[in-house]
Amino acid sequence: AQKITQTQPGMFVQEKEAVTLDCTYDTSDPSYGLFWYKQPSSGEMIFLIYQGSYDQQNATEGRYSLNFQKARKSANLVISASQLGDSAMYFCAMREGRSWGNYKLTFGKGTLLTVNP
Amino acid sequence: NAGVTQTPKFQVLKTGQSMTLQCAQDMNHEYMSWYRQDPGMGLRLIHYSVGAGITDQGEVPNGYNVSRSTTEDFPLRLLSAAPSQTSVYFCASSPGSSYGYTFGSGTRLTVV
């Protein structure tokens, strides 16, 4: 079974509207972390936001927020007030475990977001 | 602050050739890793290191070697290049498990 599932290969949104990118994960470890990355057409990987499994509140970073629903094992990325520069591939990733050495990230296959003017 | 520096940015190899992809970071991060990105596959972990002298295999290690003699450098060696190794390779580093991983700009490798 896939550890990270992103069910939306592509998404379209109008400029200035909000958009939600879906991510579900699969782990039996009580300690894990969830990450979102942005990859524009230039190819670099840009870290957006992090949510730890024990964090009580949903993470927010500027226009990015993470809708963390632990019981449903979902960690959706919400982008408010979309901008043309938000057009990119978005990856959800997970790290499992607390112990030394458990820094490995497992990535989903990504969602291509297109922001229309 | 340069962050994570990967060289070269582009490379074409013939089948059977060997080469080393370089990765260096100047942030004193203990954790470093190599990923490959193929269309429709996301990023897959090749090898990783949790400190100088300590490395381990990831999801797709076959055909690749790594070593970590210093905190700063984490080179990836292709032993005998195959067309299946045509990919974009990313190096990443992190100071800890709760922090974002900083990625290099990538190396686009083509094996013919």
Side-chain angles (χ1 to χ4, degrees), chain A residues 16-116:
Chain A
K16 299 181 184 177
E17 292 185 351
V19 62
T20 298
L21 306 183
D22 294 342
C23 173
T24 57
Y25 58 92
D26 181 25
T27 181
S28 57
D29 198 311
S31 176
Y32 53 89
L34 297 155
F35 300 78
W36 277 92
Y37 281 85
K38 172 184 178 182
Q39 186 178 42
S41 58
S42 53
E44 70 267 34
M45 294 289 290
I46 302 168
F47 166 69
L48 295 178
I49 198 166
Y50 166 81
Q51 179 86 41
S53 60
Y54 295 114
D55 294 343
Q56 295 298 312
Q57 294 187 335
N58 288 344
T60 60
E61 291 286 349
R63 292 186 300 111
Y64 304 108
S65 61
L66 201 152
N67 184 2
F68 182 46
Q69 298 186 44
K70 198 169 183 177
R72 297 181 59 188
K73 292 189 176 179
S74 74
N76 299 338
L77 177 70
V78 181
I79 305 174
S80 63
S82 297
Q83 301 173 356
L84 296 178
D86 293 334
S87 293
M89 183 71 83
Y90 288 81
F91 291 99
C92 180
M94 178 174 65
R95 171 199 57 77
E96 298 172 273
R98 274 187 183 274
S99 62
W100 181 252
N102 286 335
Y103 292 89
K104 297 179 284 186
L105 283 183
T106 302
F107 284 83
K109 295 186 178 181
T111 295
L112 181 62
L113 176 66
T114 303
V115 181
N116 294 319

Side-chain angles (χ1 to χ4, degrees), chain B:
Chain B
N1 222 354
V4 179
T5 302
Q6 288 185 239
T7 56
K9 293 191 183 301
F10 301 94
Q11 183 70 48
V12 179
L13 287 180
K14 294 182 179 179
T15 297
Q17 285 184 319
S18 63
M19 79 159 295
T20 299
L21 306 186
Q22 301 291 343
C23 176
Q25 53 94 5
D26 61 358
M27 299 171 284
N28 201 33
H29 288 174
E30 287 296 321
Y31 178 75
M32 297 185 74
S33 57
W34 277 101
Y35 289 86
R36 60 176 290 174
Q37 183 178 24
D38 302 294
M41 299 292 291
L43 281 78
R44 293 181 292 169
L45 181 64
I46 305 171
H47 285 285
Y48 67 99
S49 169
V50 298
I54 307 170
T55 64
D56 204 350
Q57 296 180 351
E59 181 185 355
V60 288
N62 292 340
Y64 308 95
N65 268 356
V66 292
S67 60
R68 184 98 178 267
S69 55
T70 66
T71 299
E72 293 78 20
D73 299 301
F74 191 43
L76 178 71
R77 297 182 190 84
L78 279 71
L79 308 174
S80 177
S84 61
Q85 293 179 305
T86 293
S87 187
V88 178
Y89 291 84
F90 286 99
C91 179
S93 73
S94 174
S97 59
S98 299
Y99 295 86
Y101 292 62
T102 302
F103 280 77
S105 57
T107 295
R108 186 173 295 273
L109 175 69
T110 302
V111 182
V112 298

